[in-house]
């Protein structure tokens, strides 16, 4: 239950990055699928002097196990007894941004798209489909130079597998879209679990799936009316215990990752000038 202040740092220097990608695009026109396009990209990003906010447990370890004074300066203790908290107990562990040792992530992005007219089947309109899939191969940070790697690939917020699929139908001045988003299974922060002598995979969050819908009508080029619904199936966000690294205070979950609002409707008008 120990909190602290997250802050910037006027002593930060620039990050240095080495990145490369390798990709291929396939459009099998010879197979009669001229409207089908597949692209696959491998990416590898390595950042030195990465700007990171060290985990609070890492700050405590660096102070009390390694004796690093700079990290001890981030810890504030109570001068007097306050409620159930005794004098000298830890009140805050502040976490300013610092130039860490390293940040690296590598993975594969895949996009499959298809478009076709339905007239050949005697139906009006056209159909489009797009599937984008990301698989994280590796991901880790080094909070400070010389520290061991802290892997984050597969943890909450960086699931190893994620995809978004969109299906669209257009006829005359009407358009209809369905979008599904899949967030793969994820685990709690391994350093947090290690405090309780738990296996890195001891606490997991099951895969989540969200479905969104939007319909629009454009009676003129400069005007569009649209309606939609997000989280059609009213999928509830997974419960993540307060005090864990992934929990966002007041939300009982990782609000920056999962949908906390449930099913919701919206409507609007767009004008072009």
């Amino acid at each position: 239950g120990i909190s602290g202040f997250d802050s910037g740092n006027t002593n930060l220097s620039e990050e240095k990055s080495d990145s490369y990608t390798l990709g291929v695009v396939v459009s099998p026109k010879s197979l009669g699928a001229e409207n089908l396009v597949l692209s696959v990209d491998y990416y590898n990003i390595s950042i030195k002097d990465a700007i990171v906010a060290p985990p609070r447990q890492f700050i405590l370890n660096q102070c009390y196990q390694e004796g690093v004074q700079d990290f001890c300066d981030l810890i504030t203790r109570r001068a007097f007894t306050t409620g159930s908290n005794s004098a000298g107990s830890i009140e805050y562990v502040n976490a300013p941004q610092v130039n860490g040792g390293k940040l690296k992530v590598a993975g594969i992005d895949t996009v499959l798209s298809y478009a076709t007219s339905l007239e050949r089947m005697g139906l009006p309109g056209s159909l489009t489909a797009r599937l984008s899939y990301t698989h994280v191969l590796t991901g880790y940070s080094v909070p400070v130079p010389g520290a061991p790697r802290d892997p984050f690939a597969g943890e909450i917020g960086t699931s190893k597998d994620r995809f978004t699929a969109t299906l669209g139908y257009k006829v005359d001045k009407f358009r209809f879209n369905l979008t599904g988003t899949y967030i793969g299974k994820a685990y709690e922060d391994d350093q947090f679990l290690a405090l309780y002598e738990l296996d890195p995979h001891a606490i997991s969050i099951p895969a989540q799936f969200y479905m969104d819908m939007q319909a629009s009508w454009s009676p003129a080029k400069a005007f569009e009316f649209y309606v939609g619904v997000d989280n059609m199936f009213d999928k509830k966000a997974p419960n993540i215990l307060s005090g864990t690294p992934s929990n966002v205070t007041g939300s009982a979950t990782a609000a920056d990752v999962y949908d906390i609002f449930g099913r919701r409707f919206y409507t609007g008008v767009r004008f072009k000038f």
Side-chain angles (χ1 to χ4, degrees):
I2 298 173
S3 63
F5 294 94
D6 299 331
S7 66
N9 183 352
T10 57
N11 295 320
L12 289 175
S13 60
E14 69 278 3
E15 299 175 322
K16 302 176 182 66
S17 174
D18 293 320
S19 306
Y20 60 89
T21 61
L22 179 66
V24 61
V25 178
V26 179
S27 182
K29 295 182 179 180
S30 60
L31 300 179
E34 63 275 4
N35 295 326
L36 181 68
V37 178
L38 171 66
S39 66
V40 181
D41 294 279
Y42 168 79
Y43 61 89
N44 189 303
I45 304 170
S46 180
I47 303 176
K48 297 179 181 179
D49 297 325
I51 297 176
V52 297
R56 286 180 166 80
Q57 185 58 48
F58 178 83
I59 293 173
L60 290 169
N61 292 345
Q62 287 294 303
C63 175
Y64 294 106
Q65 295 180 5
E66 305 298 330
V68 182
Q69 186 59 43
D70 288 344
F71 286 97
C72 293
D73 293 340
L74 301 175
I75 301 171
T76 301
R77 291 182 175 275
R78 295 179 177 85
F80 308 98
T81 299
T82 305
S84 60
N85 299 303
S86 62
S89 61
I90 296 177
E91 183 174 18
Y92 298 121
V93 178
N94 298 321
Q97 292 182 329
V98 298
N99 286 108
K102 187 176 183 180
L103 177 67
K104 182 170 183 176
V105 63
I108 297 175
D109 283 334
T110 304
V111 178
L112 180 67
S113 59
Y114 180 73
T116 185
S117 172
L118 298 178
E119 293 180 358
R120 66 182 68 179
M121 294 183 289
L123 300 173
S126 60
L127 191 68
T128 58
R130 187 177 189 274
L131 173 66
S132 60
Y133 168 70
T134 295
H135 177 69
V136 180
L137 295 171
T138 184
Y140 65 85
S141 64
V142 178
V144 294
R149 294 179 179 180
D150 178 15
F152 56 76
E155 294 183 347
I156 298 171
T158 318
S159 296
K160 286 192 173 183
D161 297 291
R162 182 186 181 105
F163 77 74
T164 300
T166 301
L167 180 65
Y169 174 70
K170 182 180 181 181
V171 57
D172 296 330
K173 299 177 181 180
F174 295 91
R175 184 187 297 271
F176 178 81
N177 289 303
L178 277 175
T179 301
T181 301
Y182 170 89
I183 303 174
K185 185 177 181 178
Y187 300 92
E188 261 293 0
D189 179 72
D190 64 312
Q191 291 195 17
F192 174 78
L193 295 176
L195 294 176
Y196 302 94
E197 299 182 349
L198 295 174
D199 182 84
H201 293 166
I203 299 179
S204 63
I205 301 298
Q208 306 291 307
F209 181 77
Y210 301 101
M211 180 70 77
D212 304 327
M213 182 275 291
Q214 186 180 90
S216 63
W217 173 53
S218 301
K221 291 183 178 181
F223 173 80
E224 180 185 30
F225 173 74
Y226 61 90
V227 295
V229 54
D230 288 341
N231 197 349
M232 288 178 58
F233 302 137
D234 198 24
K235 180 74 174 180
K236 304 302 182 184
N239 182 57
I240 298 177
L241 295 178
S242 177
T244 59
S246 302
N247 174 275
V248 175
T249 302
S251 69
T253 189
D256 53 340
V257 180
Y258 305 109
D259 188 312
I260 64 173
F261 299 107
R263 184 188 299 115
R264 53 199 183 275
F265 301 87
Y266 63 89
T267 185
V269 179
R270 295 189 182 96
F271 293 97
K272 297 180 182 179
F273 299 96

